[in-house]
Amino acid sequence: MMKKWWHDKVAYQIYPKSFLDSNEDGIGDLRGIIGKLDYLKELGVDIIWLSPVYQSPFVDQGYDISDYYAIAPEFGTMEDFDELLAEAKKRGMYIIMDLVINHCSDKHEWFQKALADPEGKYADYFYFRKGKDGKAPSNYRSYFGGSTWEPVPGTDQYYLHMFAKEQPDLNWENPELKRELFDMVNWWLEKGVDGFRLDVINYISKEEGLPYGNESVGKMMGYVGIEHYFYGSHLHDYLRELRCKAFDTTDAFSVGETPGVGMQMARLLTGEDRHELDMIFSFDHLETPGHTRFDDYRYDLNYLKQYYTEWMEGYGSGCWMSLFFENHDNPRMISKINEDPEYRFAIGKLLGMIQFTLRGTPFIYQGQELGAINGSFTDISQIQDVESRNLYEEFCRTIGEEEALRRILAGTRDHARLMMDWQEVCRQKNDRESIYYFYKKLIALRKKYPALVYGEVRIVHKEKKNFFAWFRELGNEAFYVECNLSEKQRKRPPRPEGFCPLLSNYSRIGSRMQPYEACLYRFKKEAAVCGEGSAKAPEGR
Ligand code: NOJ
């Protein structure tokens, strides 16, 4: 695969509202981010992905944009943003923005103009449809509960919104709308941003006529109507157009948020010859099959092994993966795997080991480098997120209050949106055995040894349950990683000859593997000197 500038980089997602509040108004802000660039640089971060910082009524925390050209005053000013860009550049870091172009806010002037003049040009920027017999035009269900169709008061019209009713979907069939979006993207690129994360980008092409959704497909997939907008027939054309008319002008980087696309579709979206997206976020590995985010269950790491084995072996050499476990929409991964505090740090390091030594670009979500866990919410009144609140109402009607609360507390996005714990950062920076140091060390190794970035991945011991191991090989360089995926000790399989310990989440590499143990070894010609791998502590845990 042709080398791209983002292949050997480490990305870090900032959720601005809860990163660092510099003016003590209770909301994180751009100046807070500027003040922590050195922290991120020291950790080894190269690319910062900023969740939306545009002007917004914040119904969906910035994913409802009311002005694509303005910074939300809650976060600061355009001058602050320019300073952030300049300060990042000074440190050799890159900034990528969130691009939310499947929908905007109902307070955006386009939507306001569309409401004011249903015959005017802006009405066609959205999906307005007549109701049927006093009911919504179709049976589509919104991701945030209820119908996707909101009635326009005083008319027989409804408009489409996949998410909250304050987030009307944009009509990509309209060439003028597309032109406005491409111009906006170019405006930010000219300013100096290095790329974009594209919000639910596989939903932008809707089937003509928005036909009724098949109820059984909806039941299977979780959302009625999904077959008419998920991976629609014009998606590839739209993405190519976006790429040619915008991204290509500065070789900008793009990572698409594409829930539900499996590996085959992902290859069509990201293959290097396809000219569409550079990477995608696929979410199939975030829940064990048969479970959804709102199930209160324990995540089985054997599924993660199966998932990565499939993608590492099947995605293809012309595609490049994003490697991530967390973001602002999901509970913390450590909590999903095992809530016993005894294992928190071992699991945190194990996840880091997997993320930084497989093939792809790692994305850390803020706080992950500290081993952040879920919040301890007990009541719906503590929950702010619009998705959780809407679904709670819906669940209450169907499964009762108690079960509704249990589900919401298991899956609420607010777990990931708690304020970043800067005191914990200080503590971990002073502790050489912390997760923070482990991450820092892993990132440094990844930067030192090209085999950890570009090397072939060869997964071994596939049949062994609760054990995940692989080689990374490039020229004369080779690494071996072994992980115990469970809280039970296990016998350590024989270590391949010539490999010496480089990094582990335990101080001693004995004949038995400890709970969630993860070790990285490096091939050395003079391997005899590192002995049988029992007593020698690896370099800097
Ligand atoms: C995906 C974003 O990550 C999420 O936070 C948001 O609510 C929806 N898209 C709608 O924009």
Side-chain angles (χ1 to χ4, degrees), residues 241-354:
E241 210 181 331
L242 178 60
R243 173 95 173 222
C244 292
K245 299 202 172 134
F247 292 145
D248 274 354
T249 56
T250 62
D251 194 21
F253 162 73
S254 62
V255 50
E257 189 209 24
T258 56
V261 306
M263 192 169 65
Q264 302 309 336
M265 291 182 206
R267 291 165 74 177
L268 297 174
L269 293 166
T270 60
E272 77 181 316
D273 51 340
R274 303 281 306 172
H275 219 62
E276 296 183 25
L277 298 168
D278 294 314
M279 272 184 234
I280 55 140
F281 290 129
S282 147
F283 299 92
D284 299 345
H285 61 308
L286 295 192
E287 309 300 336
T288 328
H291 287 289
T292 75
R293 171 152 56 90
F294 293 100
D295 293 344
D296 190 5
Y297 76 104
R298 215 191 229 200
Y299 184 92
D300 181 359
L301 280 169
N302 285 289
Y303 175 61
L304 193 71
K305 166 182 168 180
Q306 182 196 322
Y307 172 87
Y308 278 130
T309 304
E310 279 166 18
W311 282 72
M312 291 292 139
E313 294 181 346
Y315 197 22
S317 55
C319 298
W320 193 260
M321 257 185 107
S322 64
L323 299 166
F324 74 102
F325 302 116
E326 297 188 350
N327 64 17
H328 62 293
D329 288 334
N330 285 279
R332 295 289 186 173
M333 195 65 179
I334 296 177
S335 303
K336 291 202 248 182
I337 295 169
N338 193 329
E339 284 186 310
D340 187 336
E342 188 183 336
Y343 303 123
R344 172 172 173 188
F345 293 107
I347 297 174
K349 292 175 186 177
L350 167 99
L351 289 172
M353 182 67 89
I354 297 173

Side-chain angles (χ1 to χ4, degrees), residues 13 15 49 51-52 60-64 98 100-103 143-144 162-164 167 197-200 203 257 259 283 327-329 385-387 413 417:
Q13 181 192 352
Y15 190 71
W49 153 27
S51 274
D60 187 18
Q61 304 305 336
Y63 285 90
D64 46 326
D98 221 305
V100 190
I101 47 181
N102 172 69
H103 47 265
Y143 287 91
F144 290 172
M162 291 297 159
F163 295 90
Q167 293 167 292
R197 172 265 189 194
L198 292 86
D199 192 68
V200 290
Y203 294 176
E257 189 209 24
F283 299 92
N327 64 17
H328 62 293
D329 288 334
D385 177 33
V386 59
E387 177 202 54
R413 308 192 293 184
R417 299 175 178 192

